[in-house]
Amino acid sequence: LQQVGAGEGAVSIVAWPGYIERGETDKSYDWVSQFEKDSGCKVSVKTAATSDEMVALMNDGGFDLVTASGDASLRLVSGGRVQEINTSLIPSWGKVDKRLQNAPWHTVNGKHYGVPYQWGPNVLAYNTDAFKGQAPDSWKVVFEETTLPDGKSNKGRVQAYDGPIYIADAALYLKSTKPDLGIKDPYALNRDQFNAALELLRGQRQLVGRYWHDAGVQVDDFTKEGVAASSSWPYQVNLLQFNKQPIASVVPKEGATGWADTTMMAASAPHPNCSYKWLEWSLNPKLQGDLAAWFGSVPSVPDACKGNELLTDAGCATNGFDNFEKIAFWKTPTADCGDGKTDCVPYYEWVTSYIAVIGGR
């Protein structure tokens, strides 16, 4: 597109849960109604629980935009499912955090295939009663059998993420605990490193009560099913704390994987003008701050960090604005290790191997 014309009256978005709110859960959190009023573009949302689900939906077609994480974005680019964005049609582009503007998960050969939306860590969520007020400092509590501070084993009381990209969480833990493996990048694993991560995950299989991918189900599990610890998103932690549950979260000493999400536009978007209107709207500081407060994420627009009533001036620091360098952001594993070697395990093997682990094989 070379110029944004009249809206087509609608825009359809594939998004993570909690990313596109219109005040139905809490009327304070609504960044859709005003957009619809101003633009005349009616927003429809299809939530997706995993990156693989997002890719599948975009492959099916019919959607305009997707809030893709780094383990999906380059797959969508290489598959021809999303189009290059004309940043000159997005007046607020210059306000995007400089750390994100040319990030490798949406920039290919100098071309931008999306607009940064939000980012954050995959945190270790834990039940403060089970841990007797002692915050865990390591991912060990979800990867290895251990007695928790309440005197009971963690067996059957932990969860793990139901997505192949979780293999990187195991690799990140091994990077610290087994330095002799030589893991530098948890998404670029040679065969020995990959096998070590799978071995750790097979052991974890004996501890896991449920593999989670639905944020709402995980909230219920922490509330009713006695879950003591799990990888999670700040979104679930916020909801649980809002519901007065004894839940807190940390980024352990080994660091954390994380996500930097980009709003990408389908190659054959049915409503390109409304899509560009949304891409610009998505960068306004009020939306960015409100969303960060709701989800527990970090805005892609630093201007959102000041003067937002819901986020407060401390919110960006609380949500990890200064932890950018500590996060290993999701990206799609390929055979190219990024250091001149081409013996890394590609993503399709991550998929089949993790399905086998979850199935107990």
Side-chain angles (χ1 to χ4, degrees):
L1 217 59
Q2 294 307 307
Q3 62 182 60
V4 180
E8 300 88 354
V11 61
S12 58
I13 308 173
V14 176
W16 293 104
Y19 257 17
I20 315 284
E21 291 290 311
R22 60 165 70 249
E24 290 165 335
T25 310
D26 182 328
K27 65 181 189 303
S28 301
Y29 296 90
D30 178 1
W31 43 90
V32 171
S33 300
Q34 191 64 47
F35 170 78
E36 290 179 333
K37 189 175 169 186
D38 293 351
S39 68
C41 302
K42 176 79 175 160
V43 176
S44 60
V45 181
K46 170 74 175 171
T47 58
T50 66
S51 288
D52 289 350
E53 192 180 334
M54 285 190 174
V55 172
L57 287 166
M58 294 304 285
N59 285 342
D60 289 343
F63 297 100
D64 293 296
L65 300 168
V66 58
T67 60
S69 294
D71 59 329
S73 50
L74 292 183
R75 279 189 278 163
L76 292 168
V77 173
S78 64
R81 297 302 179 186
V82 292
Q83 59 178 277
E84 183 187 354
I85 297 298
N86 183 351
T87 57
S88 66
L89 298 182
I90 300 169
S92 298
W93 177 261
K95 295 179 181 174
V96 172
D97 193 324
K98 298 295 184 280
R99 298 176 295 185
L100 297 170
Q101 278 188 8
N102 299 301
W105 48 85
H106 68 82
T107 312
V108 179
N109 298 326
K111 296 178 178 179
H112 297 290
Y113 285 87
V115 174
Y117 195 44
Q118 298 270 300
W119 61 273
N122 292 312
V123 296
L124 173 57
Y126 65 97
N127 183 299
T128 55
D129 292 343
F131 281 83
K132 299 287 187 186
Q134 305 169 35
D137 69 346
S138 169
W139 288 106
K140 180 177 182 178
V141 296
V142 296
F143 281 123
E144 300 180 33
E145 185 166 4
T146 185
T147 302
L148 299 182
D150 65 0
K152 301 176 197 165
S153 169
N154 61 344
K155 192 168 187 178
R157 302 168 71 199
V158 301
Q159 293 191 342
Y161 185 56
D162 179 11
I165 205 69
Y166 186 70
I167 293 172
D169 289 61
L172 188 71
Y173 177 66
L174 291 174
K175 181 182 173 184
S176 287
T177 56
K178 295 203 170 169
D180 52 316
L181 285 168
I183 295 172
K184 292 186 175 66
D185 178 347
Y187 305 98
L189 304 175
N190 64 31
R191 187 64 58 186
D192 288 345
Q193 295 164 344
F194 185 74
N195 288 342
L198 291 182
E199 193 60 34
L200 179 66
L201 292 166
R202 286 189 199 101
Q204 184 193 44
R205 177 75 185 83
Q206 312 309 312
L207 310 176
V208 169
R210 189 203 299 274
Y211 288 91
W212 75 273
H213 64 259
D214 185 308
V217 172
Q218 189 180 53
V219 167
D220 284 345
D221 286 347
F222 264 106
T223 306
K224 303 170 187 167
E225 300 298 328
V227 176
S230 177
S231 67
S232 189
W233 300 328
Y235 173 62
Q236 289 96 294
V237 178
N238 278 3
L239 276 178
L240 286 158
Q241 290 176 345
F242 179 77
N243 292 332
K244 305 289 190 286
Q245 295 300 310
I247 304 298
S249 68
V250 294
V251 171
K253 61 189 178 188
E254 298 92 1
T257 59
W259 31 270
D261 296 341
T262 308
T263 310
M264 309 183 94
M265 187 169 161
S268 53
H271 312 105
N273 292 295
C274 280
S275 295
Y276 267 96
K277 289 175 189 287
W278 177 268
L279 289 174
E280 168 61 20
W281 175 257
S282 74
L283 294 178
N284 85 67
K286 175 86 167 77
L287 178 157
Q288 284 278 320
D290 291 358
L291 171 53
W294 177 249
F295 200 87
S297 48
V298 183
S300 67
V301 176
D303 288 354
C305 294
K306 290 281 178 277
N308 184 290
E309 188 181 336
L310 298 171
L311 183 61
T312 76
D313 285 0
C316 279
T318 301
N319 291 0
F321 187 86
D322 298 319
N323 288 341
F324 193 85
E325 302 302 330
K326 295 179 187 170
I327 299 173
F329 288 105
W330 279 352
K331 65 183 180 186
T332 305
T334 64
D336 181 355
C337 304
D339 59 0
K341 295 180 181 173
T342 54
D343 61 345
C344 283
V345 179
Y347 186 67
Y348 75 88
E349 283 200 55
W350 287 49
V351 175
T352 53
S353 296
Y354 197 59
I355 289 170
V357 167
I358 290 176
R361 300 196 300 285

